[in-house]
Amino acid sequence: MKPPIKVKITAIPPRVEYCLTDYGKTLANLTDEMCHWGERHIERQRKAGQKINLLDTQSPFYQKAL
């Protein structure tokens, strides 16, 4: 499997952009469905009156933006 394509952009500040290979793009349906599942899950929590914090800094999945 090929890694994502990395493109260096000459700019100030320097930056790098990544894009998927054609093979990586075959995952689009799967990632779209995962996104829809997440949206439905959030709505289900809201309807149940549960507090939703998508930026929970105590979560092991939380990462600060650089």
Side-chain angles (χ1 to χ4, degrees):
M1 183 169 83
K2 293 181 181 180
I5 298 168
K6 179 179 178 180
V7 179
K8 291 183 181 179
I9 298 171
T10 306
I12 297 176
R15 71 179 209 257
V16 176
E17 291 184 2
Y18 293 87
C19 60
L20 292 173
T21 61
D22 287 338
Y23 186 68
K25 290 176 184 177
T26 64
L27 294 171
N29 290 339
L30 176 63
T31 55
D32 287 346
E33 186 55 36
M34 290 172 63
C35 180
H36 294 308
W37 178 90
E39 291 168 346
R40 290 189 306 268
H41 178 69
I42 289 169
E43 187 58 32
R44 182 178 172 195
Q45 286 182 298
R46 283 193 177 123
K47 286 181 180 179
Q50 295 176 348
K51 182 179 176 184
I52 301 166
N53 184 355
L54 299 178
L55 297 176
D56 180 2
T57 59
Q58 302 304 310
S59 168
F61 304 108
Y62 177 81
Q63 294 181 352
K64 282 188 175 182
L66 300 176

